[in-house]
Amino acid sequence: MTLLISATTMGLILALLALGVYLSFRIFNFPDITADGSITLGAAVTATLLVHHFSPVMATVLGCGAGALAGMTTGILHTKFKINGLLSGILVMTALYSVNLHVMGRSNIPLLSESTLLSQMESIGSTWFHLDSELDIIGWTVGLRDASMLLGIFVLVVFLGAALYLFFQTNFGTAMRATGDNPQMIRALGVSVDFVIIVGLAVSNGLIALAGSLLAQYQGFADVQMGIGMVVWGLASVIIGEALVGSSRLSLLITGTIMGSVLFRLLVAIALRWGLNPNDLKFITATFVFISLIAPALLRKIKPVTTPSAPKA
Amino acid sequence: MLEICNLTQTFHPNTPNEVLALRDVSLRLEKGSFLIIIGTNGSGKSTLLNAVAGTFIPDSGGITLAGQQITRWPEHRRAKLIGRVFQNPFSGTAPNMSIAENLALATRRGQRRGLGWALNSTMRDSLRDRIRSLNMGLENRIDNPIGTLSGGQRQALTLLMASWLKPDLLLLDEHTAALDPKTADQVIRLTHEIVTRDNLTTLMVTHSMQQAVHLGNRIVMMHRGQILHDLQGGERRRVRPEDLLKRFDEVRRREQLDPNVAEMLQRNYV
């Protein structure tokens, strides 16, 4: 039970990463791999501030803000200096490695004795439920700490998912979606595509850094290596989410992305429990994304086309 | 209203692909006039339109619109003054967004976009009313993705979007060229309706002599990056499609001579 709860919590935290990746990859069609650096940046900034006894809320918000700045940098490199999108992300991600080391001052910061956002959730939980350390849910004994962290993260992720959905219904949000869908059209309607991309990447990497910040507080340490392969992880969640909801409705896609992240994390936890070598995890994730990317084209080739569809420009 | 002064543009300069797209083009357009630009392929008519739209910044020359010098303005800034319909019906709309969302984007052309709701019930009602006036039965489908519509329907909606906030200048770049004849007629009728109703200053590029003769109140014929003929007033009213075709033939005949010789001949004999 503890395993399932911790995998779900982890999945929910990484859902913020998946939402960030969804924003850059799906809304903008922008392969932004700044994420590998910005998730660590969020963790690094938050951990460093916590060690210096900043309030956990403050440390988390600043971690998120640092990620937004990193995203802005990628956006500026791409739009103002006309550097290829993928390369802009690689440049910022590489530079962030050094930045992260400087922020932390060493390669790993343990947070075991610090007061974090998650330990605060635990104390809120114990005052609300008037319980000491264990909770009884339909016969299962659940650690109060685990339950209140899961609940807290769940509320936060649902809130942010809803906020993202509502943002996409605003004047600026619809302009952002149109920027990814048809830049020529939205430019002709008076929107600076450059500006929207910069803001969009800031929001995306802000979410990703927030995931990093929460991840560090949840697992009790920040490590300079923790970001490696995170883009692919996020992309896998997005793809699972799309398969789960099978719809192009935005509300469902956002929900699906969150569910996809949790499901992916649960599958991984189960696979690890069954004896999967953790070293193979990134290889399997990459293979999974590879297969999901080529599967639609393969299926179309195998299935004979019954009705010729109209050509699309 | 629109004033184009000595506009010159060379693409790919100093390469084998060098193209003198515009050579010292000047043009004045009065408020409310509807100018049709015709010309052979590569004559520079679309380039002229794009220069006004701001797709590129010209090598030299100036463009003034509604009393403002817009020559160096980026494309999105000019959108405050200009509404555009493209040749490709897919260019003017965002395919994965709904009809209502696309139109809502157009209702704020050139304005600040904040965090207010893009759509509310008043907005939806007014969108539905305007869409109903197209008589295409789209008013009940305003929440469908616009990518599911036909090219003609999308072009009609793009026209509606471009003219929603009466633009100081409407640019139509062969906007019926990719449509079947019947749909093209429909879109042309709609164009006429909108331009006349709102008295819009319009610049339209077309390949169709029929459209050139039946729409608008002035015809400019371009060739090799220059304005060859400018038909206005009585001359414009008398012109028939055959006359325009004859002028194209003249151009073609002259083309067979060396351009310099042709110029000399024209100077001496015409």
Side-chain angles (χ1 to χ4, degrees):
Chain A
M1 196 58 203
T2 315
L3 177 84
L4 284 184
I5 287 191
S6 78
T8 309
T9 313
M10 201 72 146
L12 283 170
I13 291 175
L14 291 174
L16 297 176
L17 161 78
L19 286 176
V21 170
Y22 173 78
L23 180 57
S24 57
F25 270 76
R26 287 293 190 250
I27 299 284
F28 281 130
N29 217 354
F30 186 107
D32 177 31
I33 59 175
T34 317
D36 276 19
S38 53
I39 192 167
T40 319
L41 181 66
V45 169
T46 302
T48 310
L49 293 176
L50 286 176
V51 169
H52 288 94
H53 306 296
F54 274 68
S55 89
V57 174
M58 188 68 154
T60 309
V61 169
L62 288 175
C64 172
L69 280 179
M72 274 174 75
T73 314
T74 304
I76 290 170
L77 287 185
H78 175 57
T79 56
K80 300 297 175 198
F81 296 99
K82 310 284 173 222
I83 298 172
N84 168 292
L86 200 54
L87 188 57
S88 313
I90 293 176
L91 290 178
V92 174
M93 177 192 79
T94 309
L96 280 179
Y97 193 85
S98 301
V99 172
N100 292 334
L101 277 173
H102 271 293
V103 168
M104 296 202 287
R106 52 198 150 126
S107 63
N108 187 301
I109 298 182
L111 291 171
L112 296 175
S113 53
E114 313 301 331
S115 161
T116 68
L117 210 55
L118 289 132
S119 66
Q120 285 187 339
M121 282 175 193
E122 186 188 354
S123 54
I124 291 173
S126 69
T127 38
W128 276 11
F129 298 120
H130 302 291
L131 284 170
D132 299 326
S133 64
E134 281 188 343
L135 211 59
D136 192 56
I137 303 173
I138 18 170
W140 279 323
T141 317
V142 177
L144 175 68
R145 182 183 159 79
D146 293 334
S148 38
M149 284 197 294
L150 177 60
L151 192 67
I153 295 286
F154 178 76
V155 169
L156 182 70
V157 170
V158 168
F159 173 76
L160 285 174
L164 194 63
Y165 173 73
L166 292 176
F167 167 70
F168 281 136
Q169 312 300 317
T170 64
N171 286 312
F172 189 76
T174 47
M176 186 176 278
R177 281 160 59 207
T179 302
D181 212 9
N182 187 346
Q184 183 182 23
M185 164 254 196
I186 198 68
R187 214 178 276 125
L189 291 178
V191 173
S192 163
V193 167
D194 289 0
F195 175 73
V196 175
I197 288 181
I198 293 170
V199 174
L201 289 183
V203 173
S204 156
N205 282 285
L207 281 170
I208 293 168
L210 181 58
S213 164
L214 294 173
L215 194 60
Q217 297 178 66
Y218 180 66
Q219 52 187 19
F221 64 87
D223 189 282
V224 77
Q225 306 272 9
M226 66 193 276
I228 295 174
M230 280 302 186
V231 175
V232 180
W233 187 280
L235 198 53
S237 310
V238 172
I239 290 170
I240 295 177
E242 284 168 344
L244 279 178
V245 297
S247 153
S248 58
R249 292 249 317 268
L250 198 64
S251 51
L252 288 178
L253 283 174
I254 289 177
T255 317
T257 301
I258 295 172
M259 290 185 342
S261 172
V262 174
L263 183 65
F264 192 40
R265 191 69 220 183
L266 283 171
L267 289 176
V268 166
I270 292 166
L272 288 175
R273 184 67 177 270
W274 280 349
L276 174 78
N277 184 348
N279 291 341
D280 294 337
L281 206 52
K282 297 225 191 286
F283 185 86
I284 291 171
T285 313
T287 313
F288 169 76
V289 172
F290 169 72
I291 292 172
S292 348
L293 289 180
I294 61 163
L298 269 181
L299 284 178
R300 236 176 291 132
K301 236 183 234 172
I302 295 165
K303 240 192 242 163
V305 181
T306 44
T307 46
S309 54
K312 273 186 185 164
Chain B
M1 188 63 191
L2 172 70
E3 194 160 358
I4 298 170
C5 281
N6 308 102
L7 212 60
T8 299
Q9 173 68 20
T10 309
F11 289 117
H12 317 294
N14 307 320
T15 69
N17 295 328
E18 185 176 283
V19 184
L20 255 164
L22 293 176
R23 308 181 198 212
D24 204 27
V25 174
S26 295
L27 187 70
R28 248 187 86 88
L29 208 59
E30 299 305 326
K31 192 171 166 52
S33 55
F34 186 165
L35 170 69
I36 311 266
I37 307 178
I38 54 176
T40 47
N41 284 327
S43 60
K45 51 194 192 313
S46 284
T47 310
L48 183 63
L49 215 66
N50 287 336
V52 176
T55 317
F56 63 89
I57 306 288
D59 295 341
S60 67
I63 303 168
T64 314
L65 178 59
Q68 282 166 295
Q69 175 77 34
I70 62 166
T71 319
R72 306 204 72 80
W73 283 19
E75 207 177 338
H76 64 86
R77 190 170 165 207
R78 299 186 196 199
K80 206 179 171 66
L81 307 171
I82 299 175
R84 281 163 81 188
V85 184
F86 305 91
Q87 176 173 3
N88 184 341
F90 302 126
S91 298
T93 45
N96 292 313
M97 297 174 72
S98 70
I99 297 179
E101 283 172 329
N102 269 279
L103 265 83
L105 285 168
T107 61
R108 302 188 73 83
R109 176 172 52 79
Q111 297 175 0
R112 227 180 62 82
R113 290 169 202 265
L115 293 179
W117 300 127
L119 285 165
N120 53 37
S121 53
T122 349
M123 170 73 90
R124 295 173 73 90
D125 287 343
S126 71
L127 292 179
R128 206 176 277 123
D129 285 345
R130 291 284 281 273
I131 295 172
R132 191 173 289 124
S133 71
L134 297 177
N135 287 323
M136 287 180 158
L138 295 176
E139 58 273 12
N140 302 319
R141 298 167 61 185
I142 64 168
D143 288 316
N144 291 13
I146 221 165
T148 58
L149 307 186
S150 72
Q153 292 171 325
R154 284 175 76 171
Q155 210 63 327
L157 287 171
T158 310
L159 198 57
L160 201 61
M161 288 164 63
S163 59
W164 190 281
L165 302 174
K166 289 176 191 146
D168 290 280
L169 178 68
L170 180 64
L171 296 181
L172 308 170
D173 187 3
E174 295 186 44
H175 65 307
T176 61
L179 306 177
D180 66 76
K182 201 176 149 238
T183 324
D185 278 350
Q186 245 177 337
V187 171
I188 285 299
R189 221 173 6 245
L190 182 66
T191 308
H192 178 73
E193 247 174 62
I194 289 178
V195 170
T196 339
R197 186 193 60 209
D198 293 342
N199 193 25
L200 297 176
T201 314
T202 306
L203 213 60
M204 167 170 156
V205 169
T206 184
H207 271 301
S208 155
M209 297 306 125
Q210 295 294 337
Q211 291 177 9
V213 169
H214 292 121
L215 282 171
N217 49 24
R218 184 175 167 193
I219 300 176
V220 155
M221 185 169 159
M222 287 190 72
H223 182 62
R224 292 187 165 233
Q226 287 173 312
I227 292 179
L228 211 58
H229 300 290
D230 188 346
L231 308 177
Q232 307 188 47
E235 200 181 3
R236 158 70 187 85
R237 276 192 294 276
R238 281 190 298 276
V239 82
R240 292 165 303 155
E242 302 87 75
D243 303 331
L244 293 176
L245 284 173
K246 213 155 57 191
R247 296 198 187 212
F248 269 107
D249 276 339
E250 273 169 39
V251 168
R252 214 162 290 136
R253 226 172 298 134
R254 210 140 37 90
E255 195 83 317
Q256 286 157 4
L257 299 170
D258 180 64
N260 294 323
V261 179
E263 224 168 81
M264 192 195 74
L265 285 174
Q266 198 189 17
R267 228 184 359 259
N268 295 339
Y269 298 103
V270 183

